[in-house]
Amino acid sequence: MELRQYINEHITYMDGPMGTCLQSRGLPAGVRPESWNIDNPEAVIDMHRDFFEAGSNLVCANTFGANGIHFPDEGQLKAIIEAGVAHVREARRRSGCQQMTWIGLKMSSLGRLLEPLGDMSFDEAVSHFAKVVCLGRDAGVDFIDIETMNDSYETKAALLAAKENCDLPVFVSNTYDETGRLMTGASPEAMVAMLEGMGADAVGINCSLGPEKLLPIADRYLAAASVPVFFRPNAGLPKLEGGRTVYDVDPEAWADLTAEAVRRGVRMAGGCCGTDARYTRALIERTKTLPVVPITKKTLSCVSSYTHTVDFGDMPVLMAERINPNALDTMRRAIHDGDLNALKAEAIKQRDEGAHLIDVNVGLPEIDEPAFLQKAVQAIQSVVNNPLVIDTSDPAAMEAALRHYNGKALIDSVNGKEENMKAIFPLAKKYGGMIVCLTIDEEGIPKTADKRIAIAKKIIAGAEAFGIDRKELIFDALVMTISTDSQAAAETLKAVKAIHDMGCLTSLGVSNVSFGLPRRPVLNGAFFLMALCHGLDAGIVNTGSAELMNAYYSYCALKGRDASCLNYLKHCASLDSETAQPDSGKAETAEDAPAADGSAEDPAVYEALRAAIIDGMEDEAAEETARLLESVDPFALIGDAVIPALDYVGKGFEEGDFFLPELLMSAETAESVCGIVKDALKSGGSKGASRCRVVLATVRGDVHDIGKNIVRILLENYGFEVIDLGTDVPAEVIVDKVTETQAPICGLSALMTTSVPAMEETIKLLAEKAPFCKVIVGGAVLNEEYAERIHAHYYAPAAMATVRIAEAIDAAL
């Protein structure tokens, strides 16, 4: 039976973790598990054989970290992957198992953040993953298993590489923390939307937590996904016993909880850190007679960013229209001049005005639209987390933007022309995305509603031919100005209602109705309200228009779509104040961020700089810093602008109002400001204020540096002198640097279970050689109890926690 069919019809059992299973077979601390494919093949074969004998259907090669970052020698990488696949094949032969089985290629994170948060481009990441996929494909695997991904953008790169380089089934799972989000902020719904849109054959959750804490996330996956969902929890939390890392949930308890996930509809299940074949055997025993819960086709219509989804069909959606060369003369000039900062500033402004989606159109004939649209999309996503509307008539520009978009975009647009549908629908199928469908064809814009409805039906049929469901379509019935056709608005409203009654979604570019007439906002607001009453699901609007926003919030309140009228009341409050903004985001926080000394008097002179830091607008912050340094004290600038802005964003991050990309962009902006201030201090003969030294390192055997690099950026911005030793650092090197510099703080990071013993070894040596040094530990495999057991002084569950701990240590010196 073909694998895709099997997982749709049967409960399917996966294998378990490579690292912890090989550790139990003697894998030394600091040695990469993949190296044993060459150095200790019998141990690897024995591990796989255990899972086949336990009853696993899906067993992956020992290739979790096999990529060009960890194994830069291409010959070595090829040998590791080929041997890994051969070992699974040999293990299956020796096991004599009778169940249906398939062999997979396991891939995981490259351990690097992608631009703009890190130094690796999206295309470089795709290239790294593509090489691994090709090697696995050529070695004869049956499927690709992408797992333990904690960043949505890197997850997209891995899935894209798989889909472009093989036709095998691809399964993708992500790792969530206790807040129910990825490290970089994505919700389960956002990941399902993007991955299912791109054609993942199954989506799931693995690692980080035990089954009890992952069950609520599984429920959210099951509510959103129309493809099989899989579930691979850890065996609870790690702890030390007799110098070994063990987990606190035994096979029987783990199997009971994981079986509950299967009862709720999870189709594929297996284990992650701390589990082994005993856990798989116990799970099969508990679930082998359970009925198969049918996979239901969901009717959700949504787009997503790197943090969240915006759903269509309940609350009307506001799509901001001003990043468009035809919207403003200043925007036309900015696009012509390639001024990305102007586009970012406009995106922030529209977000703060209450936009749900932000339309991005850079279509000028004199520019390289594919190149600039890609840059614009990436730049705008670096400062706002709203989903974007990719608005272009150029298929090449559309593909460039969709490829590099972090999430599931709204594609604007397709129309009823056969040539256009053949160009746009394949892009939507490959990259995912909802699609704005213009009711226009080869004959132009029909004057009557009936002809527009006929075009809508033609587009539905065209989409279905490419395997695109109508839930992914949103129809624009194309309002024309009433200044030249008094029936234009009436025909459009008739079409909107008819398409809505067909069970389809609708949108309109509202302001077209008033072209050529005076007092356009008044007419626009009235027409918007009429359209909403006729079933309009989304409006492309000027979110800075009071008339349009009055209509929107009034409609939502009157239709019972605004609980306790809270959004309406907030909007009314904004009308009473020139400085307040509806649904405001980071920009308004410049006023809320307290002065460094906590006083209520916050010098207004720093407002623009604080806003730029909070919004991550590096160029604007640099310009404002240079201007301010002509008249203000550099130390006051740091104390009254930089630190309050960082504290505001840091607090928001800790409370879940901001996400890692926003935190890092703000931190990097603050870093550029501090650099300018330091230069000014040097020219004036001052070295400036500094906090204590901190030595950072990822311990021996671990090459992941994402968490460590985030901590470094934040600590430096809070005035600490950071010595970053990099990754895979032996204990002796760390201790030597601490003693040489007399650093009172050492931060140690570990992502993999196999590298935790090296962390314990480092802490022990630091206690012996540098007892003055306080050790802070962090990483996905750690928790507070485990940190205590390996005698760390502090455990930091997140980057900002490290900053707070370091501040307390520094204050006590």
Side-chain angles (χ1 to χ4, degrees), residues 48-64:
H48 295 316
R49 180 176 177 174
D50 274 0
F51 284 107
F52 280 121
E53 292 179 347
S56 294
N57 305 109
L58 308 179
V59 178
C60 286
N62 178 33
T63 54
F64 178 92

Side-chain angles (χ1 to χ4, degrees), residues 266-282:
V266 161
R267 182 54 55 85
M268 305 153 65
C272 204
C273 295
T275 67
D276 55 31
R278 295 172 301 149
Y279 289 74
T280 304
R281 188 173 287 107

Side-chain angles (χ1 to χ4, degrees), residues 53-376:
E53 292 179 347
S56 294
N57 305 109
L58 308 179
V59 178
C60 286
N62 178 33
T63 54
F64 178 92
N67 57 60
I69 299 297
H70 302 156
F71 298 95
D73 183 285
E74 291 189 8
Q76 183 189 26
L77 179 61
K78 183 174 185 289
I80 284 173
I81 291 175
E82 289 178 346
V85 175
H87 296 337
V88 187
R89 195 172 288 120
E90 174 61 16
R92 179 169 61 182
R93 186 193 67 79
R94 293 185 189 181
S95 73
C97 62
Q98 298 301 307
Q99 73 272 19
M100 296 287 290
T101 60
W102 291 267
I103 295 172
L105 174 76
K106 189 182 294 290
M107 297 199 310
S108 190
S109 172
L110 300 172
R112 300 263 293 277
L113 278 174
L114 305 190
E115 295 174 346
L117 305 181
D119 59 357
M120 179 178 285
S121 72
F122 178 81
D123 292 325
E124 186 181 356
V126 173
S127 178
H128 275 293
F129 286 122
K131 290 178 182 177
V132 177
V133 170
C134 291
L135 289 170
R137 176 201 65 200
D138 294 345
V141 299
D142 303 309
F143 66 95
I144 308 295
D145 180 25
I146 301 167
E147 68 157 49
T148 323
M149 305 296 284
N150 55 20
D151 171 42
S152 61
Y153 207 26
E154 188 185 20
T155 307
K156 176 174 180 173
L159 177 56
L160 187 60
K163 300 293 286 186
E164 288 184 335
N165 291 280
C166 74
D167 58 2
L168 300 171
V170 184
F171 310 147
V172 187
S173 64
N174 291 97
T175 298
Y176 294 86
D177 62 22
E178 294 195 31
T179 70
R181 289 188 177 272
L182 301 192
M183 178 186 72
T184 49
S187 68
E189 294 78 12
M191 292 310 301
V192 170
M194 182 181 77
L195 297 174
E196 192 172 305
M198 291 179 65
D201 294 284
V203 294
I205 314 121
N206 82 290
C207 204
S208 71
L209 301 169
E212 184 175 12
K213 291 186 177 180
L214 281 185
L215 272 172
I217 299 174
D219 289 338
R220 292 169 68 178
Y221 263 68
L222 291 166
S226 298
V227 297
V229 171
F230 62 100
F231 186 68
R232 303 181 68 178
N234 288 350
L237 297 173
K239 59 183 180 180
L240 277 177
E241 285 185 3
R244 293 178 58 250
T245 301
V246 298
Y247 284 74
D248 64 0
V249 179
D250 64 31
E252 304 305 316
W254 180 92
D256 287 338
L257 291 165
T258 303
E260 176 58 29
V262 175
R263 291 187 188 92
R264 296 181 186 185
V266 161
R267 182 54 55 85
M268 305 153 65
C272 204
C273 295
T275 67
D276 55 31
R278 295 172 301 149
Y279 289 74
T280 304
R281 188 173 287 107
L283 174 64
I284 293 173
E285 186 63 30
R286 283 161 175 75
T287 57
K288 62 184 179 182
T289 61
L290 290 179
V292 177
V293 179
I295 298 169
T296 58
K297 182 180 177 182
K298 308 305 187 296
T299 58
L300 301 172
S301 297
C302 68
V303 293
S304 69
S305 67
Y306 59 84
T307 59
H308 67 284
T309 60
V310 170
D311 299 329
F312 290 84
D314 183 16
M315 287 288 292
V317 173
L318 296 173
M319 300 190 289
E321 68 180 7
R322 296 199 304 267
I323 300 179
N324 188 311
N326 298 317
L328 301 166
D329 288 339
T330 54
M331 190 54 56
R332 174 178 286 270
R333 287 195 299 271
I335 293 168
H336 179 274
D337 296 341
D339 184 359
L340 292 172
N341 288 319
L343 273 63
K344 291 194 290 185
E346 190 61 47
I348 290 169
K349 186 176 181 181
Q350 291 178 118
R351 176 204 65 196
D352 294 342
E353 291 167 351
H356 303 121
L357 274 59
I358 295 174
D359 188 279
V360 183
N361 183 324
V362 298
L364 285 177
E366 63 268 27
I367 70 167
D368 180 349
E369 187 180 355
F372 190 66
L373 184 58
Q374 174 188 323
K375 291 178 182 177

